[in-house]
Amino acid sequence: MVEYNPFNRQTVHNPFPVYRALRDEAPVYHNEEVGFWALSRYEDVIAAHLDTDVFSSAHGVTIEGADQGAPFLIVKDPPEHTFHRKIVARLFTPRRIAQLEPFIRRTAGELLDKMRDADRFDLVEAFSFRLPLDVISELIGIPETERERIHHLSDRVAARNEDMSTPPDVYEASAELWALLAELVKERRRNPGNDVITMLMTTEVEDEEGNLRSLGDAELASRFLELAFAGHETVAKLIPNGVIALAWYPDQRRELVADPGLIPNAVEEMLRWDPPSHYQGRWTTREVEVHGTVIPADQRVILITGSAVHDERKYPDPETFDIHRDIDRHVSFGFGRHLCLGASLARLETRVAFEELLERFPDFTIDPDGVERHYSGNVRGLAKLPLLIERS
């Protein structure tokens, strides 16, 4: 009988054998001890993402549900979610994202050039964690004088104990980061300018009652906190996961070095092969039947993204990393109403990151011990664990 506990250390380190057993033997899985159900097949995960009437996000998207009631888009249902998303979506227009590419490329190059003469360096500390924080700070318009402080606070927010539990300092750092962003909003309210903060502050959209309104200061600060931390976490995980893939598949890395035009599809395969987030939590608003099994109302349900993207019913030979794979209806950024707002920005950052990385370090190798430490924190939290990259 298959057993799935996402907090089990062995499962965290390599969850894919368990995922396959779930898909084959228990596509609707119930863990009574921890208290959740789980859907693991691609089509079931897609269907649950689309059915927000039954699979609600408002009770939190973690197994513990500790994020229930948090002021974040990810834990809101329509119509409140729709109102907030309409405003924040103004940040992620194709034109605005395209305008960021020169900044992303310059920043990535500068970060990597600092390591150009090093025999080895920590990819996470020196590059993958820092790059998306710089980009999101540029997008939001955070003054350069405050960016080092935001880096420091984000480091503290990302910290995890050895057993992957959350240390108390994480909550203190989160409160400090929110206060910093709230003060930036208040300052811009006093002195509006031609910037993103002012634009979002003055944008009005129709709320659930049909009235035009804009976001208040506390709501804006929460949106920026969501962007400043959660918004960068995807890329901070995706880059090292992609580096591991290219180290394990050197022939494909050599293809990318020879033809950088293949990198965009390689990024899609990186997202599929080992997604930055392996599961999303939902809550059933009524009982629902899946594959002949009834999930009662008021139950935590985990949509296992990491399993869905390795479902043989959707992707042939899913364990193999293949930069030429044809990928459609990607679920690694969520799907439906909760599709990640910053998906296009994350793709752009990752593409540019690998273009710059492979130009400077075309024949890198990685420290095997670093891979093990890195993967021990892959599912729960960023953990900012090291991944040492070396010249071959």
Side-chain angles (χ1 to χ4, degrees), residues 137-168:
S137 296
E138 181 73 9
L139 173 65
I140 296 173
I142 293 173
E144 291 189 15
T145 54
E146 297 289 354
R147 293 184 186 183
E148 279 301 321
R149 187 178 171 200
I150 286 177
H151 279 300
H152 176 66
L153 289 171
S154 295
D155 275 351
R156 289 168 57 194
V157 172
R160 296 296 182 271
N161 294 322
E162 185 66 24
D163 63 357
M164 299 313 301
S165 61
T166 303

Side-chain angles (χ1 to χ4, degrees), residues 82-99:
T82 306
F83 162 71
H84 284 268
R85 189 178 175 98
K86 281 180 181 177
I87 292 179
V88 181
R90 307 289 177 91
L91 278 175
F92 297 102
T93 62
R95 180 182 178 186
R96 191 178 296 277
I97 298 304
Q99 288 173 340

Side-chain angles (χ1 to χ4, degrees), residues 2-305:
V2 60
E3 292 186 11
Y4 171 59
N5 181 345
F7 303 143
N8 176 278
R9 200 164 190 79
Q10 184 176 353
T11 300
V12 168
H13 181 65
N14 182 14
F16 298 106
V18 178
Y19 290 165
R20 180 166 189 168
L22 286 173
R23 293 192 301 271
D24 292 344
E25 302 171 28
V28 184
Y29 176 79
H30 188 205
N31 186 315
E32 293 186 25
E33 181 181 356
V34 180
F36 68 88
W37 297 74
L39 302 179
S40 52
R41 292 181 181 173
Y42 175 87
E43 291 297 341
D44 297 334
V45 169
I46 286 280
H49 272 297
L50 292 173
D51 192 353
T52 55
D53 291 336
V54 174
F55 295 96
S56 168
S57 299
H59 285 73
V61 295
T62 62
I63 289 180
E64 308 94 324
D67 51 341
Q68 180 179 357
F72 301 135
L73 273 174
I74 199 170
V75 294
K76 295 182 184 297
D77 284 336
E80 187 180 13
H81 173 270
T82 306
F83 162 71
H84 284 268
R85 189 178 175 98
K86 281 180 181 177
I87 292 179
V88 181
R90 307 289 177 91
L91 278 175
F92 297 102
T93 62
R95 180 182 178 186
R96 191 178 296 277
I97 298 304
Q99 288 173 340
L100 280 172
E101 181 167 350
F103 174 84
I104 297 170
R105 191 171 300 281
R106 182 173 67 253
T107 303
E110 290 172 354
L111 292 171
L112 290 169
D113 283 343
K114 293 176 183 177
M115 307 298 141
R116 203 156 196 169
D117 296 327
D119 291 330
R120 63 190 297 180
F121 65 94
D122 181 353
L123 180 84
V124 176
E125 175 69 33
F127 186 58
S128 75
F129 194 81
R130 179 129 196 162
L131 174 64
L133 271 175
D134 282 340
V135 172
I136 209 71
S137 296
E138 181 73 9
L139 173 65
I140 296 173
I142 293 173
E144 291 189 15
T145 54
E146 297 289 354
R147 293 184 186 183
E148 279 301 321
R149 187 178 171 200
I150 286 177
H151 279 300
H152 176 66
L153 289 171
S154 295
D155 275 351
R156 289 168 57 194
V157 172
R160 296 296 182 271
N161 294 322
E162 185 66 24
D163 63 357
M164 299 313 301
S165 61
T166 303
D169 184 63
V170 166
Y171 303 105
E172 296 176 16
S174 298
E176 288 183 46
L177 185 54
W178 187 91
L180 185 156
L181 295 167
E183 185 56 39
L184 287 176
V185 170
K186 290 178 182 177
E187 193 280 329
R188 198 66 86 253
R189 184 78 72 183
R190 294 189 294 267
N191 300 291
N194 184 26
D195 55 33
V196 166
I197 296 177
T198 302
M199 183 268 290
L200 292 183
M201 190 178 291
T202 56
T203 295
E204 290 187 328
V205 298
E206 193 173 282
D207 65 15
E208 58 267 32
E209 297 175 356
N211 301 315
L212 286 177
R213 82 171 185 90
S214 56
L215 294 178
D217 288 0
E219 291 173 314
L220 278 167
S222 295
R223 294 291 74 75
F224 292 142
L225 176 60
E226 198 166 26
L227 291 167
F229 181 69
H232 91 274
E233 188 175 5
T234 296
V235 176
K237 287 182 178 181
L238 180 58
I239 291 173
N241 288 357
V243 163
I244 291 171
L246 295 182
W248 288 357
Y249 292 82
D251 289 347
Q252 299 201 41
R253 180 184 62 199
R254 284 189 282 270
E255 280 195 69
L256 296 182
V257 171
D259 184 3
L262 298 173
I263 291 178
N265 201 68
V267 171
E268 298 304 303
E269 177 68 347
M270 291 170 189
L271 282 162
R272 186 207 65 82
W273 188 70
D274 193 359
S277 174
H278 272 233
Y279 62 77
Q280 290 76 44
R282 296 293 187 265
W283 188 265
T284 53
T285 59
R286 59 173 174 81
E287 73 173 32
V288 58
E289 183 176 329
V290 183
H291 298 301
T293 298
V294 175
I295 304 175
D298 297 321
Q299 297 288 304
R300 177 73 59 194
V301 178
I302 303 303
L303 312 182
I304 310 179
T305 302

Side-chain angles (χ1 to χ4, degrees), residues 115 117-123 361 365-370 373 387-391:
M115 307 298 141
D117 296 327
D119 291 330
R120 63 190 297 180
F121 65 94
D122 181 353
L123 180 84
F361 301 93
T365 60
I366 54 177
D367 174 17
D369 291 338
R373 288 192 299 272
L387 179 66
L388 299 178
I389 188 169
E390 304 173 339
R391 296 181 183 278

